[in-house]
Amino acid sequence: MKKSIIECKDVYFQYEHSTVLEEITLEVKEGEFWALIGPNGSGKSTLISIILGIKNPDKGIVKLFGENVDSFRQRERIGYVSQKSNSFNSGFPATVLEVVKSGLTGKVGLFKAFSKQDEQRAMEALRIVKMDAFSTKNIGELSGGQQQRVFIARALVGKPDLLIMDEPTVGIDQKNVASFYSMLNGLNREHGIAILLVTHEIDLVTDLATHVACLNRSIHFHGRKADYKNMDDEDISNWYGHPVRRVHADREGV
Ligand code: ADP
């Protein structure tokens, strides 16, 4: 039986007096690729903060790898890439390899002491995202999409079992988005890394994902991608808050 990686049970959260999450129940198991989708302001980032243990829910239980999030200490099992990762300007004085190595937990900043093995791990992570040829380049010289791949390599360097990404395609040229998703597909299928990808997009990523969760304060649907695809656009529109029409292209093999 597949093991549970993320488990949220009846989670509630409010900012001051406004409830932004209610009755959130969701389970991600090993090897699954979840797209967590919802319009802007639907609570996606807040839920991710709760899953990462940054915010405490007002009510409910959150478990990571079967352990309560409050006592969870296996930080290296989770790689996280935030929405604003890829924003280095051209003057930033760090090479691609240095940025990736900084993802090794406990080895950040002035007191780092990287071994040859750390360097090899960083190069391996760069190979996975097909950015090894850029290892000596300055991070600021890269395009948004290339920087985002480097940040994924940084998240992968500790060999996580789960990768959480918040709107990772923001700042990536539209023409490069498909190849970016194809790389994520490989991470999931070939390397067995579970993925939780947060996005307001409703098409491309849901074709790649194995499972979909629709959030707008509460979870309106969660389950297998095939069941999401079988839902009427009208149901999706009601949940999303405005009319949507999904493109039903099958990008399974991208
Ligand atoms: P999403 O990631 O789906 O865009 P968020 O989780 O960022 O949604 O926000 C959910 C709701 O909570 C929004 O209405 C937002 O305005 C509100 N919100 C987010 N952060 C705060 C905060 N620090 N204080 C008060 N309200 C907030």
Side-chain angles (χ1 to χ4, degrees):
M1 210 173 88
K2 283 203 278 182
K3 288 194 183 124
S4 179
I5 290 190
I6 301 172
E7 215 180 331
C8 297
K9 248 189 222 156
D10 210 19
V11 166
Y12 283 74
F13 184 86
Q14 64 175 45
Y15 288 108
E16 285 158 22
H17 301 297
S18 84
T19 299
V20 294
L21 294 174
E22 56 187 16
E23 240 186 314
I24 304 292
T25 293
L26 190 66
E27 186 175 17
V28 175
K29 292 185 178 159
E30 58 189 3
E32 293 177 346
F33 183 159
W34 278 79
L36 173 64
I37 56 180
N40 284 333
S42 57
K44 303 183 297 295
S45 300
T46 304
L47 180 57
I48 294 304
S49 302
I50 290 172
I51 290 170
L52 291 171
I54 297 164
K55 287 182 173 44
N56 287 321
D58 299 320
K59 200 181 139 208
I61 295 170
V62 178
K63 287 186 178 175
L64 296 170
F65 299 94
E67 197 177 323
N68 208 303
V69 67
D70 297 333
S71 53
F72 184 76
R73 295 286 173 271
Q74 304 168 65
R75 174 67 190 81
E76 69 287 350
R77 297 191 78 177
I78 302 175
Y80 172 62
V81 181
S82 80
Q83 198 174 135
K84 296 189 179 68
S85 295
N86 56 340
S87 55
F88 280 100
N89 62 35
S90 57
F92 194 82
T95 66
V96 164
L97 190 65
E98 284 165 346
V99 169
V100 176
K101 282 195 292 189
S102 74
L104 287 159
T105 46
K107 295 194 176 182
V108 183
L110 290 174
F111 307 106
K112 64 191 175 202
F114 293 111
S115 63
K116 198 82 206 145
Q117 196 194 5
D118 291 339
E119 188 138 337
Q120 282 164 1
R121 283 170 72 173
M123 281 308 293
E124 196 186 320
L126 280 170
R127 270 193 291 278
I128 292 173
V129 299
K130 300 192 170 52
M131 286 298 289
D132 45 314
F134 295 80
S135 65
T136 57
K137 281 245 187 266
N138 220 291
I139 183 76
E141 292 171 45
L142 271 49
S143 72
Q146 290 171 329
Q147 286 194 14
Q148 195 61 307
R149 281 173 185 253
V150 172
F151 282 99
I152 289 180
R154 184 181 185 277
L156 292 176
V157 72
K159 294 195 183 296
D161 300 300
L162 167 69
L163 191 58
I164 297 181
M165 285 170 287
D166 194 352
E167 301 272 7
T169 57
V170 170
I172 298 184
D173 249 346
Q174 207 50 42
K175 65 180 192 312
N176 295 323
V177 168
S179 84
F180 178 79
Y181 280 146
S182 155
M183 190 254 318
L184 293 186
N185 199 21
L187 282 182
N188 176 247
R189 291 187 184 198
E190 288 153 36
H191 298 270
I193 298 171
I195 295 180
L196 175 61
L197 193 152
V198 174
T199 180
H200 65 278
E201 286 176 24
I202 54 166
D203 281 318
L204 243 183
V205 71
T206 51
D207 285 324
L208 285 178
T210 59
H211 293 76
V212 178
C214 300
L215 180 73
N216 202 351
R217 196 155 97 154
S218 57
I219 300 273
H220 291 244
F221 167 84
H222 68 114
R224 293 186 168 275
K225 174 182 58 182
D227 296 327
Y228 168 78
K229 289 195 157 202
N230 284 335
M231 280 165 74
D232 289 340
D233 281 351
E234 203 180 320
D235 289 343
I236 303 273
S237 305
N238 287 339
W239 146 70
Y240 205 81
H242 63 80
V244 296
R245 207 170 62 80
R246 288 165 299 163
V247 178
H248 292 280
D250 189 6
R251 291 173 198 258
E252 194 84 42
V254 178

